[in-house]
Amino acid sequence: MFFSPARCLILLLVLNFTDAGRILRKIKERVRNLQLQEAKRHLQKQISGHQPLQHVKEGRIHQQLDHFNRQDVSTFPQRFFVNEAYWQRPDGPVFLFIGGEGPIFEFDVLAGHHVDMAEENGALLLALEHRFYGDSINPDGLKTENLAHLSSQQALADLAVFQQYISQNFNLSHRNTWISFGGSYSGALSAWFRGKFPHLVYGAVASSAPVKAKLDFSAYSNIVGMSLMNEAVGGSEKCLAGVREAFAAVEALMSGNASQVAMDFGCCTIPKNLDDQIELMQNLADIVMGTVQYNEEGVLMSINELCGVMTNKSKAYEEEMEAYNRLVKLAKIYHSTSEEPCLDISHEKTVKDLMDTSLPSGRRAARQWTYQTCTEFGFYQTCEDATCPFSGMMTLQALTQFCPMLFGISQHSLPGRIAFTNTYYGENVNPHTHRVLYVNGGVDPWKELSVVQDRTEDGEDAQTIFIRDTAHCADMMSRRVTDRCSLKKAREEIEKHVISWLKMAAAGED
């Protein structure tokens, strides 16, 4: 095996991007940085014990670039991490954390709910990086012609080969039960891995997993709107109305006085053309979307805090301007926590960044993920529906223009590509998928593309867990004192499922 010692404490948890907005990606980076700090504190408490860091190793497996073309012998180096700290040799289970559209780090086998369960069940911990992300890419991998080998189908084949590789190198047998874990896109991969390779993985946990591809994902913005009205998390009808009024006011003012809008929101440049104006509206929507998607993760603000800003009436302005100025205040709160001198709304710069094929850009993952949205998933968060609380300028036409511009992929071909993905994996996913546990949060917009159902027909063994008042991938974090009761209960339910799978496997049940 090609192993090297882990070089540093921990870096970031990969909660997946699954989005196109520039600010939304930055908010997610903050989420990961916060989780880094929490993980450090968690591990510091363990240092006096078994020192798990000493058991983490980094490795590379040379994967076939195209698993479906036996004449092509090209390979790429795929990175993985192993943590043997809790493993009860030789028959202990194997917990596989699947990487999504971003790098993996030591953190993925050191902290998180799957790690807590590994410690309790004596499991070997693994994390495998997704092809073409992080360091798992060849030097010329980001060139358009080479991105043809980037797909979820190839990624699942990587997982199958990796499973065999680890089994051989650790002398594993049928007594070592494999369970896969993932969140968001990697949650979908976890479910699909179990579905396509049931002889390799005994059970799968799929958190916030969009297992249905959708070209026009207008439901995302609609669910953000409903979450802003959710009183259980601090929302209200007034809050949603305030957001809706604010975006209408920005759009109205921008059509006549773009320089004023640029000054109010601290833009780097004046949005003179339509593309820049769309960038601005997307960025402002991202602040609200990011708040909802990562509610109560301690980054930026919560839904309760956002609604406090958006419903704080002042007699100093007319009603329309009140909403506008509250959104300005919201943007200033975002800016106060960012290191950016101004709000970058240049569409030209966005295109330039996405066309960059140098590998340092590869670690940012935007180009690769944009390619996958064009070729497999769609997931375009449009706002053409009348119920959308943001700007109608965010159209499917505008959001899909990157496909032909960057990769020569016709917009007309997108529906067919999305249809193939759903045909390949099953568009109408059976919620009773054998030993796949779907976990979703009630305020998470991605629940719309996942499997959400409380109980099976007999009312007993649930294959889904629905946490009504939590957000995206909240269940994947380690237990915290501040967690809502519903989240604590959900983790207990996940643990029961995993333990029952391990008992079933030990009893020889198929």
Side-chain angles (χ1 to χ4, degrees):
M1 275 184 296
F2 179 28
F3 281 139
S4 63
R7 294 185 296 273
C8 56
L9 181 61
I10 45 177
L11 293 175
L12 307 172
L13 168 69
V14 178
L15 284 180
N16 304 295
F17 295 109
T18 336
D19 301 278
R22 188 184 301 175
I23 283 183
L24 192 47
R25 287 196 293 268
K26 291 176 181 176
I27 290 174
K28 292 174 184 180
E29 289 173 8
R30 295 186 197 178
V31 172
R32 295 195 298 274
N33 285 329
L34 178 66
Q35 292 163 348
L36 161 66
Q37 299 304 319
E38 289 186 3
K40 281 183 177 179
R41 286 192 294 269
H42 178 72
L43 289 175
Q44 298 261 325
K45 296 176 182 178
Q46 296 183 329
I47 292 298
S48 58
H50 43 252
Q51 295 188 350
L53 279 171
Q54 295 180 355
H55 299 271
V56 176
K57 295 178 181 178
E58 179 180 349
R60 297 287 193 283
I61 174 175
H62 294 286
Q63 286 276 15
Q64 198 166 339
L65 198 58
D66 186 352
H67 291 286
F68 309 111
N69 181 0
R70 295 301 175 187
Q71 293 181 324
D72 187 348
V73 296
S74 304
T75 63
F76 73 94
Q78 189 168 31
R79 186 169 63 150
F80 62 90
F81 288 103
V82 179
N83 182 0
E84 303 177 54
Y86 314 120
W87 189 31
Q88 294 178 0
R89 295 173 181 268
D91 298 335
V94 181
F95 286 4
L96 170 62
F97 182 89
I98 300 174
E101 65 281 25
I104 61 167
F105 298 98
E106 288 92 337
F107 178 72
D108 295 315
V109 293
L110 285 169
H113 189 219
H114 64 293
V115 177
D116 298 338
M117 288 188 286
E119 183 174 5
E120 293 161 1
N121 293 283
L124 174 66
L125 276 162
L126 305 171
L128 181 67
E129 193 165 66
H130 195 295
R131 60 166 52 207
F132 285 73
Y133 293 97
D135 290 339
S136 299
I137 185 171
N138 288 328
D140 58 354
L142 290 184
K143 292 182 179 179
T144 300
E145 60 269 25
N146 295 329
L147 286 174
H149 295 116
L150 169 59
S151 71
S152 58
Q153 291 86 21
Q154 296 280 5
L156 292 179
D158 290 339
L159 288 167
V161 172
F162 179 67
Q163 197 270 358
Q164 296 297 300
Y165 173 83
I166 290 295
S167 295
Q168 292 172 7
N169 283 283
F170 281 87
N171 295 316
L172 304 182
S173 69
H174 68 278
R175 293 186 297 274
N176 302 100
T177 305
W178 286 67
I179 308 291
S180 64
F181 299 85
S184 200
Y185 168 47
S186 77
L189 289 173
S190 180
W192 293 334
F193 186 41
R194 166 65 187 158
K196 294 294 185 182
F197 297 94
H199 60 294
L200 299 182
V201 58
Y202 192 80
V205 179
S207 299
S208 300
V211 289
K212 179 179 179 180
K214 187 77 171 177
L215 179 60
D216 188 345
F217 189 18
S218 60
Y220 182 98
S221 297
N222 298 340
I223 295 174
V224 168
M226 286 189 283
S227 297
L228 292 174
M229 288 195 297
N230 189 336
E231 294 181 1
V233 291
S236 66
E237 290 186 15
K238 287 184 178 180
C239 180
L240 176 59
V243 170
R244 194 185 302 278
E245 290 169 15
F247 276 86
V250 173
E251 199 168 322
L253 183 59
M254 189 160 55
S255 63
N257 195 348
S259 59
Q260 181 65 50
V261 172
M263 183 174 66
D264 290 340
F265 287 99
C267 300
C268 303
T269 55
I270 298 173
K272 293 182 178 180
N273 59 51
L274 179 60
D275 286 336
D276 287 350
Q277 291 176 2
I278 294 172
E279 288 273 346
L280 171 58
M281 301 308 285
Q282 177 70 65
N283 285 340
L284 295 179
D286 278 356
I287 296 174
V288 181
M289 290 176 174
T291 298
V292 170
Q293 185 161 315
Y294 292 106
N295 181 43
E296 297 180 347
E297 283 297 322
V299 175
L300 191 58
M301 67 190 87
S302 64
I303 292 174
N304 183 51
E305 291 165 334
L306 181 148
C307 287
V309 173
M310 295 308 297
T311 58
N312 183 17
K313 298 281 186 178
S314 169
K315 295 181 180 180
Y317 305 99
E318 295 179 4
E319 186 172 341
E320 186 175 300
M321 287 306 294
E322 277 183 2
Y324 176 88
N325 283 286
R326 288 196 295 272
L327 186 58
V328 169
K329 183 177 180 180
L330 207 63
K332 287 181 179 177
I333 293 173
Y334 168 79
H335 283 304
S336 69
T337 61
S338 73
E339 299 177 355
E340 305 150 39
C342 53
L343 182 63
D344 192 351
I345 58 166
S346 170
H347 180 72
E348 184 180 351
K349 186 176 185 299
T350 295
V351 173
K352 183 178 179 181
D353 289 344
L354 288 172
M355 294 187 78
D356 187 354
T357 61
S358 62
L359 279 191
S361 298
R363 295 192 68 83
R364 294 201 300 268
R367 177 173 169 83
Q368 302 98 297
W369 183 245
T370 302
Y371 177 81
Q372 286 194 267
T373 63
C374 292
T375 55
E376 296 189 80
F377 304 123
F379 295 155
Y380 298 109
Q381 296 150 12
T382 61
C383 197
E384 296 178 86
D385 192 304
T387 60
C388 178
F390 308 120
S391 170
M393 298 170 72
M394 294 153 55
T395 65
L396 185 62
Q397 174 67 26
L399 297 180
T400 58
Q401 65 174 316
F402 292 109
C403 298
M405 189 184 305
L406 300 174
F407 311 113
I409 296 172
S410 165
Q411 288 169 296
H412 297 294
S413 73
L414 299 184
R417 296 171 185 270
I418 305 309
F420 173 80
T421 299
N422 288 325
T423 299
Y424 188 82
Y425 294 118
E427 180 175 2
N428 297 313
V429 181
N430 186 342
H432 309 149
T433 308
H434 199 38
R435 288 195 296 272
V436 175
L437 180 62
Y438 296 94
V439 187
N440 287 282
V443 296
D444 180 15
W446 291 98
K447 68 182 179 182
E448 184 72 12
L449 302 182
S450 188
V451 177
V452 180
Q453 184 173 316
D454 288 334
R455 294 286 169 187
T456 56
E457 291 177 1
D458 57 14
E460 294 180 359
D461 186 23
Q463 291 295 307
T464 64
I465 294 176
F466 187 68
I467 319 168
R468 297 191 179 278
D469 50 6
T470 60
H472 194 62
C473 295
D475 62 283
M476 298 183 69
M477 300 307 300
S478 292
R479 307 174 188 98
R480 293 180 291 189
V481 177
T482 56
D483 287 334
R484 288 174 175 264
C485 291
S486 58
L487 183 54
K488 294 177 181 178
K489 183 179 179 182
R491 289 204 185 98
E492 291 174 359
E493 287 294 316
I494 295 171
E495 290 161 15
K496 288 179 183 178
H497 275 80
V498 171
I499 290 171
S500 71
W501 292 342
L502 296 179
K503 289 180 178 178
M504 290 165 62
E509 294 185 35
D510 293 331

